[in-house]
Amino acid sequence: MRLAPFTVSVRLLSATLLHWGANVRNFTRRQTMTALASAVASTSSIAAAGASEIQKTASAPEAPSQSLRRRSNYGSSVDIIVVGAGVFGAWAAARLQAAGKQVLLVDAWGPGHARASSGGESRMIRASYGPDEIYSKMATKSLEYWKSLSATADLPLFHETGVLYFYQREDQSAAQSLTALRRLGVPVERLERKVLAQRWPQIDWTGVVAGVFEPTFGALMARRSVATLVDQFVRAGGAYRQASILLPAADGPLETLQTRAGETLKAEQFVFACGPWLGKLFPSLIAERLFVTRQEILFFQPPAGDDRFGPNALPGWADDNDGAMYYGFPDIEGRGFKIALDAHGAPVDPDTEDRLLSPEGLAGARAYMARRFPALADARLSESRVCQYENSANGDFLIDRHPDWENAILVGMGSGHGFKHGPAVGDLVASLVAGGAPEPRFTLASKSTEKARAVH
C-alpha cells in the first residue's frame, strides 16, 4: 500500500525519535530540543514535495452521499436507479456500472445499516445445496467476486475458515452435494466421524455420522463488505443518495421516483432491491408472497487464552438435524463464537420490531452449546443481534421484471441464504437490464403465497 507523503514524514519523525530514545539520558535539554528541531526539519522537504499528492489523498475517501452532487455530468437523470443498498442492490449497482451504465444507488438508511438483512457481523458462504446446482454454481461464481473485492479492501472481507456441514444420519442431500460439487470442480471432502473427532476434538461428535467439508469457503464480513462495495462503486464514478422513495401510480411507464424530501429522480430503468421492505413498496404484488421472519444471532466469549475456537482451529459449521439446524462461526476478529438457529422465527415488521434477544433464544443456544461445544457451556454472552429473513415459499430468489413496468426489475426474497450470492445476483440483474430472459425459478409468477419453508 502506498503511503501519503505526510504519513511517511510522520513515521520518519517517529522512527528518528525512537532511535534517539536509547540515548536520551545522555542529552542535555538544549541538545534534546536541537535534535527534535533537526528531525522536524529533515521531514519538511518530504511533506512539501508531496503537497499536491496529500491533497489527492485527502480528497479520495469522499463520503458516498457526496457523490451525486460531485458528478454534475449526471444532470437530473441517470441510466438506472437502484433502490436499496443491501447486498443485492449494491452488487446490482456495481455490475451495472461495470457494464457501462450510469447508476444512482439509493437507500433510506445507508449501506448495510442495522435493520437491513445485509447488516451485522458475518455471513456464511458455502456451495453445498444437495442436488440444486443452480445455487452451487452461483455460490462458486460469487466466491471469486468476494475474494477479489476482499483483496482490494483495507480490512479483510472474506475469511477462508472452511465450512463444515455435519449430519446425524446418512443424508441423501449430503451425498448429492458431494456429487454436485465434485462435478463443478469445487474442493470438497466427506469426513467420517472418526476423522471429524481427530480434526476438531473441541466438538462433541455424539450422534454424528459424517460431515461434508468445503475447505475453500468460509465467512464474509457482512456490513463491512456492503460498505466497501458501495464505497468502491462511488469512487469508480457511481452516485449514491440517502433518501426514502415514493412510488408513482402504476398507470403508464415508470419515468421518475419521488423522495419524501420532495426531490424528483429520473432514469431510463429501475431496480428495486428493498429486502424486507419490498412487500411494503409493492403491496399488491409482493406482500402475500414475501414472508418476513425474526431471526436471532448470538456471540459468546470463549475462555481466555483458549484458541480452540478461533478461525485457525475451527471452521464455519452447520449441524443439520432434521430442520432444527444450528450453525455458526469461530471467534473471527475477536467478536465471539457465533451461533444461530436456522429455523424461521415469528413473522415481523422490520419497521416496528424491537431488536431484543428473547430468553428462549438464549436458552436454546446455551443448551445446544452444552451438548455440542461443552467447553463453551458456561461462556458469557458478549453480543446478540436480531435481524430477519425475507422468505419466499420455496426459498428461491425473486429476480424478475415488474409486470406493469417493463423498465423496472424486482429483486429480493433472499430467504436466509442470499447474502453469499450477491455478486451472481448482480450479474443476473445486469442481464435482465440488457434484455435477457429471467431464470424461471426466480420469476414473480413462480412465487407462491403458501407458507415459506427453510432452505439450508
Side-chain angles (χ1 to χ4, degrees):
M1 179 178 68
R2 185 180 179 186
L3 296 175
F6 180 74
T7 305
V8 174
S9 65
V10 169
R11 291 189 177 182
L12 179 59
L13 173 59
S14 299
T16 305
L17 292 175
L18 287 172
H19 175 72
W20 289 336
N23 298 315
V24 71
R25 293 179 181 176
N26 299 323
F27 275 40
T28 66
R29 182 176 182 274
R30 178 175 293 180
Q31 286 173 322
T32 300
M33 297 304 294
T34 300
L36 179 60
S38 176
V40 172
S42 70
T43 63
S44 61
S45 60
I46 298 174
S52 61
E53 186 67 23
I54 293 172
Q55 291 297 322
K56 293 178 184 177
T57 303
S59 62
E62 182 180 46
S65 60
Q66 298 172 351
S67 176
L68 186 60
R69 292 192 296 272
R70 177 175 59 82
R71 283 195 57 84
S72 57
N73 60 318
Y74 272 13
S76 60
S77 178
V78 294
D79 295 330
I80 301 170
I81 294 175
V82 178
V83 181
V87 71
F88 283 0
W91 273 110
R95 300 311 299 152
L96 288 164
Q97 182 186 61
K101 301 294 185 180
Q102 291 182 331
V103 184
L104 167 61
L105 179 62
V106 181
D107 195 277
W109 291 283
H113 63 86
R115 285 179 288 175
S117 299
S118 297
E121 190 68 18
S122 55
R123 297 292 188 279
M124 185 176 288
I125 180 166
R126 44 86 183 185
S128 290
Y129 275 91
D132 202 349
E133 288 193 15
I134 188 171
Y135 289 118
S136 296
K137 290 177 180 178
M138 289 176 68
T140 302
K141 177 181 182 180
S142 293
L143 178 63
E144 296 309 310
Y145 280 106
W146 284 120
K147 290 169 70 174
S148 179
L149 182 66
S150 185
T152 66
D154 293 333
L155 294 172
L157 309 179
F158 170 65
H159 290 275
E160 192 178 275
T161 62
V163 172
L164 174 68
Y165 265 64
F166 48 93
Y167 302 86
Q168 299 185 37
R169 56 183 174 81
E170 286 295 343
D171 189 274
Q172 186 180 14
S173 69
Q176 291 169 333
S177 288
L178 285 166
T179 300
L181 297 189
R182 286 167 179 164
R183 184 163 50 242
L184 295 173
V186 177
V188 64
E189 302 175 77
R190 174 188 164 91
L191 303 176
E192 303 300 327
R193 176 177 166 180
K194 180 179 179 180
V195 177
L196 293 171
Q198 291 171 344
R199 286 201 191 182
W200 298 290
Q202 64 273 60
I203 301 177
D204 184 336
W205 296 105
T206 301
V208 172
V209 173
V212 174
F213 182 54
E214 302 174 35
T216 59
F217 285 78
L220 298 167
M221 307 311 289
R223 180 195 55 79
R224 183 191 301 165
S225 294
V226 175
T228 299
L229 180 61
V230 173
D231 179 64
Q232 292 195 7
F233 161 78
V234 171
R235 289 176 186 241
Y240 171 81
R241 174 72 63 86
Q242 186 165 328
S244 179
I245 294 297
L246 298 171
L247 285 181
D251 296 336
L254 183 61
E255 297 177 346
T256 63
L257 298 175
Q258 298 294 318
T259 72
R260 293 187 186 275
E263 299 172 279
T264 298
L265 305 177
K266 185 177 181 180
E268 296 176 5
Q269 294 178 291
F270 301 83
V271 176
F272 296 93
C274 306
W277 291 275
L278 198 61
K280 292 190 170 189
L281 205 58
F282 300 96
S284 62
L285 284 178
I286 305 296
E288 297 301 316
R289 294 179 167 91
L290 178 63
F291 307 90
V292 181
T293 58
R294 173 188 171 92
Q295 307 299 139
E296 298 183 346
I297 299 96
L298 301 87
F299 295 81
F300 290 89
Q301 179 181 307
D306 189 341
D307 63 358
R308 293 176 298 163
F309 300 98
N312 293 326
L314 189 69
W317 55 273
D319 186 349
D320 196 338
N321 184 22
D322 295 327
M325 185 174 76
Y326 275 96
Y327 70 96
F329 284 118
D331 182 14
I332 296 174
E333 298 185 2
R335 296 307 297 268
F337 176 86
K338 176 179 176 179
I339 181 172
L341 177 62
D342 186 32
H344 292 167
V348 294
D349 183 326
D351 287 320
T352 61
E353 174 72 3
D354 284 334
R355 307 297 171 122
L356 299 175
L357 177 65
S358 68
E360 296 80 11
L362 177 59
R366 285 202 177 280
Y368 176 81
M369 290 195 304
R371 178 167 62 89
R372 190 66 76 194
F373 296 89
L376 298 178
D378 298 321
R380 296 297 89 196
L381 180 70
S382 57
E383 185 177 350
S384 65
R385 301 283 180 93
V386 176
C387 63
Q388 62 273 320
Y389 287 173
E390 56 267 9
N391 308 287
S392 65
N394 60 1
D396 281 334
F397 305 153
L398 171 64
I399 311 171
D400 195 10
R401 293 184 179 89
H402 190 288
D404 298 319
W405 294 325
E406 273 291 308
N407 64 336
I409 295 170
L410 306 175
V411 185
M413 300 188 187
S415 298
H417 69 120
F419 191 96
K420 68 179 77 64
H421 299 294
V425 169
D427 276 346
L428 290 173
V429 171
S431 175
L432 279 182
V433 167
E439 160 59 43
R441 287 177 57 177
F442 300 158
T443 61
L444 184 63
S446 71
K447 298 298 172 282
S448 170
T449 59
E450 298 175 2
K451 186 176 180 181
R453 66 174 176 85
V455 174
H456 297 158

